[in-house]
Structures are given as structure tokens and as C-alpha cells.
Amino acid sequence: MELGIIGLGKMGANMATRLLKGGHRVEVYDRNPEAVKTASATGADPSGSLEELVSKLTTPRAVWVMVPSGSPTEETIEQLAGMIQPGDTIIDGGNSNFKDSIRRAEMLKEKKIHFVDVGTSGGIWGLKEGYSMMIGGEKEAVERLRPIFETLAPASDQGWGQVGPSGAGHFVKMVHNGIEYGLMESYAEGFALLKRKEEFGLDLHQISEIWRVGSVVRSWLLDLTARALGDNPDLEGIAPYVADSGEGRWMVFETIDLDVPAPVITLSLIQRLRSREKDSFSDKFLAALRNQFGGHEIKREG
């Protein structure tokens, strides 16, 4: 099958490579010419512009957008909508807000263009292991793309599926990432406690390897934990700053809107925000207040 891919970041480039290995024809475009050059070296057909990529695809076209969420995705889809024809399909495989995906699907439907939102998980390991794909859209459009999904997935019948109408794919991916936040925070807190118990001289890498086999807390995240601790047992040189790409926030907003209690995931998001406070006024406030009511000592800066 033929597919155009726009956006050759690490995941987009790896997806192109996996599709090429699966026998598909892949047209690629990225605003970075070097990224296009690298992809073409693996067998992808390079394009110097969106217009060129669209012109090379045979109808009905399928174009997979893998650019950052927000304005870059919005602008790319708007441009594509003016270039392609009724019956063509735009796929958004990035981490878009599901509400934006519902809106974009309605906008494209007016032009008789199909829209498929694909919540994609697998990160840098997807090239080797395959990608987990949570897909939203019209059944007709999803079925036409089945050969693409079967090639990108861990197996043709595993790790992917249509979960609902337009927007559902990104909604499920949002919840997936919220769960991921909670799992990561739990592992982080547990290993922090193990490290603090200094009198036992615990080897955190050894413990992570023990837990990986037979333990009820075994998981791929624990596999990656073991890998990270094996490479850098004390995590030296890593700043205590944890970013978030948006899905955790959107999920917390949604739990409030739908009256679904999600305290663990909500707190895991707050902990990520807390990691970014280099000069925490709230902590200073707490220290000052303890001094006021109990005369507790205040540690001075410097």
C-alpha cells in the first residue's frame, strides 16, 4: 500500500522505515531537509513540499501527519485539506486533544475527506517492537488502511484496533498516558524509598531485575527502569525536571467534567509540575508558617 508521511521526527522516521520493510511505498516530507534526506536513504521517496508529496500519491490518497500537536498539526491539516480530494484520508498519529480531532473530522467531512485519529504508543522502540494504535474514525476509512496498521502493529492481529468514531482514538490514548503517569510515579516513589534506606546498601538495579520476572509489578516500564538503572545507577547528571506533553492535563480536566475520581493520576500530574519549581514559594511558605505556630527552625538559603 502507498502512504504519505508528514513529519520525520524519531517516531515518524521509524514508522516510515517499518512500513518500507513491510513492502509499502512511502512518500515523506519534513520541513527539515536533512530529515528527508535520512529517510530517503532507507528507501522512502522524498518530497520537497506538501504539494509535491500530495501530487505523487495516487487516489484515494492516505496522508499520515506526525507533527507536534496544537498549531503545527492544525496548520498542516488545513493545508492538506486544500490540496487533496474527496475520498482521500488524513491520519493524525500525533498526541492531539481528542476534542480537536472531533472538530477536525467534522471540518473535513464537509469536504468529503476522511479523518482518522490514531493514538500511537511505542516511542523509540516501535521500529523493533511495533506500535500500539488506538484508532478513531469511520469504519470504511479504517478498513482501507488495515494493511498499514497491520504492518506498524506488533502483530497483524494484536496491538491495534478501531476503538470508536472520530476522536475516540486520541481519547483512549489520553487515558493511556494518564495511566502511564500514575505507574511511573509509583515506581519513582518506591525506588526513592529503597534508595533512602542506606543502611541496607540496596542495589536498585538488582532489585529491578528481580522484580522483572515473576513479580506482580513486572511491566515494560519496569524493564525500562532496569535498563536506566543499569546504565546509570545513581541517575547522575539528570536534572529533577519532569516534562509533560499534555495528555495528563487533558485527562484530569475530563475526569472533573465527567465526575470520575482519579486521585492517583491527578497527583502524578501535580508531582510533575512540582518538579519544575526551582524556587518553591509554597515550600518557603510552609516553613515560615511552621516557624510561626511552633517555633520550628527555618533553614536559611545559601
Side-chain angles (χ1 to χ4, degrees):
M1 188 173 177
E2 181 185 64
L3 181 71
I5 295 180
I6 299 171
L8 297 172
K10 191 66 174 178
M11 186 177 285
N14 284 348
M15 292 175 75
T17 300
R18 190 172 174 90
L19 288 169
L20 288 164
K21 289 181 177 179
H24 300 277
R25 177 171 172 251
V26 181
E27 303 282 347
V28 295
Y29 168 70
D30 191 284
R31 287 190 293 182
N32 179 2
E34 287 302 313
V36 176
K37 184 178 179 181
T38 299
S40 66
T42 66
D45 188 8
S47 293
S49 65
L50 286 179
E51 292 86 352
E52 182 181 352
L53 181 140
V54 169
S55 69
K56 290 179 177 179
L57 296 170
T58 54
T59 56
R61 304 176 183 89
V63 185
W64 192 304
V65 178
M66 285 296 289
V67 301
S69 63
S71 296
T73 296
E74 187 78 11
E75 293 168 6
T76 301
I77 290 176
E78 285 182 355
Q79 290 178 45
L80 281 173
M83 299 176 189
I84 59 179
Q85 301 174 356
D88 293 345
T89 302
I90 294 176
I91 308 148
D92 179 4
N95 286 324
S96 292
N97 188 306
F98 76 95
K99 295 178 181 178
D100 288 333
S101 296
I102 294 173
R103 174 179 55 78
R104 289 164 184 156
E106 288 300 316
M107 179 269 290
L108 292 169
K109 188 175 183 180
E110 294 178 359
K111 300 175 180 289
K112 294 183 170 52
I113 296 170
H114 301 291
F115 179 79
V116 175
D117 54 293
V118 182
T120 310
S121 181
I124 61 174
W125 296 90
L127 175 59
K128 177 183 177 183
E129 305 290 342
Y131 296 92
S132 172
M133 291 170 289
M134 300 137 262
I135 304 166
E138 300 166 336
K139 186 173 182 179
E140 173 192 349
V142 174
E143 279 301 310
R144 190 173 78 81
L145 296 166
R146 174 178 285 272
I148 296 295
F149 298 135
E150 289 181 340
T151 300
L152 291 174
S156 62
D157 59 347
Q158 292 182 329
W160 75 278
Q162 182 180 7
V163 296
S166 297
H170 282 146
F171 180 83
V172 174
K173 177 58 162 48
M174 175 191 74
V175 176
H176 164 283
N177 281 28
I179 293 170
E180 177 186 304
Y181 279 34
L183 291 171
M184 291 174 66
E185 179 65 24
S186 183
Y187 280 127
E189 292 175 10
F191 278 93
L193 180 59
L194 292 172
K195 185 172 180 57
R196 184 63 61 88
K197 197 66 174 176
E198 295 177 355
E199 60 264 39
F200 283 163
L202 299 173
D203 183 334
L204 303 192
H205 179 237
Q206 178 201 28
I207 293 168
S208 66
E209 291 289 357
I210 292 171
W211 287 354
R212 286 182 61 212
V213 183
S215 163
V216 296
V217 298
R218 65 187 183 272
S219 71
W220 188 53
L221 285 174
L222 184 58
D223 294 342
L224 297 178
T225 296
R227 187 171 182 265
L229 291 172
D231 293 340
N232 188 353
D234 294 319
L235 305 182
E236 293 179 0
I238 299 176
Y241 181 102
V242 187
D244 73 284
S245 55
E247 292 90 343
R249 299 179 187 224
W250 302 335
M251 180 174 173
V252 170
F253 298 154
E254 198 66 19
T255 63
I256 294 170
D257 287 344
L258 297 178
D259 295 328
V260 176
V264 172
I265 292 170
T266 301
L267 184 57
S268 69
L269 172 63
I270 300 303
Q271 286 295 93
R272 291 194 178 200
L273 301 181
R274 181 71 180 267
S275 76
R276 303 169 201 176
E277 289 197 29
K278 296 180 180 179
D279 187 21
S280 174
F281 180 81
S282 62
D283 287 345
K284 291 181 179 181
F285 183 93
L286 290 173
L289 195 56
R290 289 182 77 247
N291 175 259
Q292 289 294 322
F293 71 71
H296 300 289
E297 179 182 0
I298 295 176
K299 291 188 176 181
R300 301 294 177 181
E301 290 182 322

